[in-house]
Structures are given as structure tokens and as C-alpha cells.
Amino acid sequence: MRRGVYAGSFDPVTNGHLWMIEHGVRIFDEMIVAIGDNPDKSYTFSLAERLAMLRETTAHLPSLRVESFENSFLVNYAREQGAHFILRGIREAADYEFERKMRYVNADLAPHIDTVFLMPPREIAEVSSTMVKGLVGPAGWQGVVQQYVPEPVFNRFVALRAQM
């Protein structure tokens, strides 16, 4: 069985993440989307909310599991899950340089786990969770943000803004 792991903070999940996930499901027999939780990092959404948004967004993908992990290198988590592949996205040159280095470190730690790189299409390649969060607030933000995130995420942003 070809099992892959795609990990990130997903704060929040974007259409770019969803593109990666849907393509990963086509490549692997089973795929795990794992939220890495870093207690030193400040998140807009709690771990429970991020897990819920990912599960809602990917409910149409039966060969997918959504989980979380903490205090572990991704490659070690992948090994614990019996995965032989780590899926990573490359949007720009800086991503490539970082991911290339991590691939070699991961190979030192677990030579039997391969890293697979995908490049999202141009129209979503520049969209990041940080960028999306920065668009929320000014007049008309809903029309802009809605095109970059899945519906469950957009609905959470609307609810979050309503509470403010």
C-alpha cells in the first residue's frame, strides 16, 4: 500500500492545500493529512477548529485520514504511521530551497521514506494561509477571501468576524 503524509499547520486550509490533498489522494492508496501543532506558535484557529475545517473540506475523499501530531519530526510521524511518502508543495524558489534541504535531512533520518513534490497551478500558487488571514477585515473582504478558501473555512471567518 502506498501511504503518504501531507502535513502543515493549516491555519486555515486554503484552496491550494485542497489542491495538494486532492492530487495526493490520486497518487497514494491512502493519505494522511496531519496538522503539526507547535505550542510556541500563535494560531488564529484552535487545533480542534483546524481539524474540523480539514475534515469538513475533505469529507468527499474516502481514502483520506485527518490527524494531528506534536513534538515530533514529520519524518518520524510518517514512519510511525507506516507511510513511505511525504507530500510537499512547492510554490516558489524559496519553497524549493527549503524543501530540498528538508528532503535530505529526512532521508538521513528515514532513508526508506521518499519526498514527493507537487507544484500547484499558477492561479493558486501564491495563496498562503497568512495571506488569506491578512485579507480578512476591510470592506468587501468576503468577496476576496471566498475565492481562496473552501466553504467551511470561509464560514468560520464570517463567524469569527461576527463575534468581533
Side-chain angles (χ1 to χ4, degrees):
M1 174 177 287
R2 291 183 322 263
R3 181 176 295 141
V5 174
Y6 177 53
S9 61
F10 303 106
D11 185 42
V13 62
T14 67
N15 288 338
H17 293 130
L18 185 56
W19 184 91
M20 290 288 297
I21 292 165
E22 289 174 340
H23 281 73
V25 165
R26 290 177 20 204
I27 294 168
F28 306 115
D29 299 315
E30 182 182 41
M31 192 156 128
I32 302 166
V33 176
I35 297 177
D37 199 38
N38 180 346
D40 296 330
K41 191 172 179 181
S42 176
Y43 296 108
T44 300
F45 296 100
S46 70
L47 177 59
E49 289 173 312
R50 289 179 283 144
L51 285 165
M53 285 187 284
L54 264 171
R55 288 182 177 130
E56 290 170 44
T57 300
T58 61
H60 64 288
L61 302 170
S63 63
L64 181 82
R65 292 185 350 228
V66 176
E67 298 183 354
S68 66
F69 70 100
E70 60 182 303
N71 198 29
S72 177
F73 291 123
L74 171 58
V75 72
N76 291 337
Y77 173 79
R79 181 178 29 226
E80 290 166 9
Q81 298 302 312
H84 290 93
F85 301 95
I86 292 174
L87 180 63
R88 301 298 295 165
I90 296 179
R91 297 175 298 182
E92 58 189 42
D95 286 347
Y96 172 76
E97 284 304 316
F98 174 80
E99 296 296 346
R100 181 181 63 82
K101 293 172 187 172
M102 286 306 305
R103 182 258 180 254
Y104 293 127
V105 170
N106 287 342
D108 289 342
L109 297 173
H112 66 285
I113 297 179
D114 292 317
T115 302
V116 175
F117 298 106
L118 293 179
M119 293 178 68
R122 183 176 308 146
E123 61 271 14
I124 58 173
E126 300 301 321
V127 178
S128 69
S129 297
T130 302
M131 183 202 78
V132 167
K133 290 186 288 189
L135 295 171
V136 174
W141 71 267
Q142 296 94 333
V144 176
V145 170
Q146 193 167 25
Q147 63 188 318
Y148 297 125
V149 297
E151 186 176 347
V153 174
F154 178 73
N155 293 339
R156 288 237 176 26
F157 273 123
V158 170
L160 188 64
R161 290 297 298 170
Q163 295 172 2
M164 297 179 132

